[in-house]
Amino acid sequence: MNILIIGSGGREHALAWKIRQSHRCINLYIMPGNPGTAQCGTNINLDLHDHEGIKLFCLKNDVDLVVVGPEAPLVDGLTDAFRSDDTAHISVVGPTAYASQLEGSKAFAKKFMKKYKIPTAAYNEVTKENISTGYDFMSNIPGPYVLKADGLAAGKGVLIINDLEEAKSQLSEMLDGKFGKASEIVVIEEFLSGIEFSVFALTDGKNYILLPEAKDYKRVGNGDTGLNTGGMGAISPVPFVDDILWQKVINNIIKPTIEGIHLEQMDYIGFVFFGLINVAGNPYVIEYNCRLGDPETEVVLPRIESDLVEVFDKLVNGHISDCHLTISPDAAATVMMVSGGYPGDFEKNKIISGYEDIISSLIFHSGTDYFNQEIVTSGGRVLAVTTLHRDFKEAVKISIRNANKIMYENKNYRTDIGFDL
Ligand code: AMP
Ligand code: GLY
């Protein structure tokens, strides 16, 4: 098979690394990719908004399968574009625009969860016209207050505010365009107190398989302090997810979600990322994503021993229920090396060195680029350093030791991934 991966981060490097190992993969392309993915296949620089250009590339290069990493192209309708007659023979792992609203619209996701009785925080959907119902809703729940921009806001559209008056004023600012069009609708939620974890399903819209669960660490500082980031590290498996919790996740959340997708006749072939929170032993959905997580992918895929291309092949041909994933008993930990200053302002183009001889960890490129024949930093999140070990604490230690060896100006990383487990 010839395969195209869409995206350019650590998740896409991990996908490329895993797909490259399959004997079923002949040519592998990554669009646009990064210097890490270039070790697994050929990077292709095309504008991801140019659906016709991407289709043309696939037709010219006999691409059989497209795997979409990030949410934006999905919400933007890339999968829908491939459903037209000329490219209907090309399979896409990634849902259509309508189905991607499970991530692309918080209001859509909440309505869906309510309809299918999936446990989630109580909520109220507000626009400028009915802001007073939002004020009333907040007055009747205890704080803190969770305000979510309905649309995609690059991971920044959620505010958690303790004070009621401050929450009201932020609600008004959001509806006035604080996050542009994304916050024309705001979902207000009651605050759930618990510990978060992530579960991933691969579905054809009717049947599904589950991938290993993971926990990511979103705050920039040790001890879960400081600003929220895209993710500073992750662990898989998650020790507190025991059989009892796992059964509740399956029965109360996964099954009704997949059934809802089926009953709503969504054209959904791809990953469902369940962002969950364990509230006193009961799982609730914080959010759905229509893709794999980053950096969760960098710990989930290394634990999967099965051939991922075989799995995708079964998925797109309607046989996903015949799949039985073989999972490594080892734990995986990833430590995300970031640019100093991230998630605020940071400098780019810092030369990276010291990674070439590392063999005890996998190094996935997240925000890197070429500059004057050197590999340099190009983003806030730079490299994910993943280690497999039977003891996750040992895996974290090895990743940190290797992160220590990798050099670029102003590097930063957390040294306590998994501290709470
Ligand atoms: P989301 O984009 O919906 O995942 O929200 C971003 C983060 O905000 C989540 O990962 C949680 O840490 C937090 N969060 C969102 N909704 C809630 C909630 N209802 N209760 C507590 N924390 C929340
Ligand atoms: N690590 C969280 C996400 O990918 O959304």
Side-chain angles (χ1 to χ4, degrees):
M1 264 199 241
N2 295 326
I3 302 175
L4 169 67
I5 298 172
I6 302 283
S8 64
R11 166 183 50 213
E12 288 74 26
H13 186 185
L15 277 164
W17 166 84
K18 183 69 185 154
I19 287 173
R20 184 67 279 169
Q21 292 166 31
S22 170
H23 71 282
R24 299 282 308 276
C25 176
I26 303 169
N27 292 307
L28 177 62
Y29 305 101
I30 309 92
M31 192 181 285
N34 64 35
T37 63
Q39 299 160 11
C40 314
T42 310
N43 288 347
I44 305 293
N45 205 3
L46 260 185
D47 176 7
L48 295 188
H49 294 103
D50 180 8
H51 295 175
E52 287 310 309
I54 298 173
K55 285 168 61 174
L56 206 60
F57 172 85
C58 290
L59 289 169
K60 275 191 184 152
N61 292 280
D62 289 325
V63 168
D64 305 287
L65 177 73
V66 179
V67 181
V68 185
E71 65 280 12
L74 295 169
V75 173
D76 205 28
L78 180 59
T79 301
D80 306 67
F82 273 91
R83 294 290 193 260
S84 65
D85 287 346
D86 53 339
T87 47
H89 62 287
I90 302 175
S91 304
V92 183
V93 178
T96 52
Y98 179 74
S100 301
Q101 287 182 90
L102 282 178
E103 172 165 4
S105 164
K106 302 272 189 202
F108 180 94
K110 289 301 259 189
K111 271 189 212 115
F112 175 91
M113 286 186 258
K114 195 169 174 185
K115 182 166 175 186
Y116 293 99
K117 300 192 170 57
I118 295 158
T120 188
Y123 83 106
N124 188 242
E125 180 185 331
V126 191
T127 60
K128 221 170 167 171
E129 284 65 46
N130 66 1
I131 190 165
S132 60
T133 65
Y135 293 159
D136 292 346
F137 178 77
M138 286 196 280
S139 300
N140 287 312
I141 56 169
Y145 307 93
V146 183
L147 304 179
K148 299 186 173 182
D150 175 57
L152 295 182
K156 297 196 168 82
V158 176
L159 302 180
I160 299 179
I161 301 161
N162 286 315
D163 179 65
L164 179 59
E165 291 312 311
E166 170 66 10
K168 285 182 178 173
S169 121
Q170 285 294 333
L171 173 62
S172 168
E173 277 187 36
M174 285 176 82
L175 294 170
D176 278 336
K178 185 180 175 110
F179 299 105
K181 260 189 88 64
S183 64
E184 276 175 3
I185 299 174
V186 172
V187 167
I188 309 172
E189 285 185 10
E190 96 186 310
F191 183 84
L192 297 176
S193 199
I195 183 160
E196 289 176 64
F197 61 108
S198 310
V199 173
F200 305 92
L202 187 56
T203 184
D204 57 9
K206 187 162 182 247
N207 297 306
Y208 69 92
I209 54 167
L210 292 176
L211 278 54
E213 79 283 4
K215 181 173 193 320
D216 81 337
Y217 291 80
K218 291 202 173 82
R219 301 295 196 97
V220 70
N222 278 348
D224 282 344
T225 55
L227 293 173
N228 256 325
T229 70
M232 296 293 291
I235 300 272
S236 176
V238 181
F240 65 79
V241 182
D242 57 16
D243 280 348
I244 296 173
L245 184 58
W246 194 238
Q247 280 313 315
K248 287 183 185 169
V249 168
I250 291 174
N251 292 326
N252 305 350
I253 291 171
I254 313 281
K255 281 186 178 165
T257 299
I258 303 296
E259 193 172 273
I261 287 173
H262 181 57
L263 290 173
E264 298 293 316
Q265 297 183 312
M266 290 182 190
D267 181 351
Y268 201 123
I269 299 175
F271 294 100
V272 190
F273 167 153
F274 299 83
L276 305 179
I277 187 164
N278 178 15
V279 182
N282 290 309
Y284 287 72
V285 177
I286 290 277
E287 65 166 348
Y288 289 121
N289 293 312
C290 57
R291 51 167 175 92
L292 285 173
D294 195 348
E296 291 93 330
T297 306
E298 291 93 305
V299 290
V300 169
L301 293 188
R303 293 190 61 222
I304 297 178
E305 289 173 348
S306 313
D307 181 328
L308 193 59
V309 178
E310 296 275 0
V311 174
F312 286 153
D313 192 32
K314 288 211 169 87
L315 172 78
V316 299
N317 289 303
H319 302 300
I320 192 63
S321 33
D322 298 344
C323 263
H324 298 283
L325 288 186
T326 310
I327 307 297
S328 162
D330 279 349
T334 198
V335 170
M336 189 60 88
M337 300 185 66
V338 304
S339 298
Y342 171 81
D345 293 339
F346 56 87
E347 289 177 12
K348 298 181 186 175
N349 285 327
K350 307 292 183 196
I351 294 172
I352 307 171
S353 63
Y355 54 87
E356 298 88 346
D357 302 329
I358 292 173
I359 49 168
S360 48
S361 295
L362 299 159
I363 315 282
F364 295 119
H365 289 232
S366 203
T368 69
D369 207 345
Y370 298 107
F371 187 72
N372 288 341
Q373 284 157 9
E374 306 262 20
I375 293 180
V376 298
T377 65
S378 69
R381 296 194 291 173
V382 178
L383 297 167
V385 183
T386 298
T387 310
L388 285 161
H389 196 281
R390 61 181 184 282
D391 175 3
F392 81 84
K393 290 188 175 144
E394 202 51 43
V396 175
K397 270 192 204 155
I398 296 169
S399 283
I400 290 168
R401 210 181 302 143
N402 286 328
N404 208 14
K405 289 183 195 154
I406 297 172
M407 294 298 172
Y408 55 87
E409 210 180 303
N410 289 336
K411 70 175 176 176
N412 184 30
Y413 51 89
R414 277 180 66 165
T415 53
D416 69 341
I417 297 304
F419 76 104
D420 54 341
L421 298 176

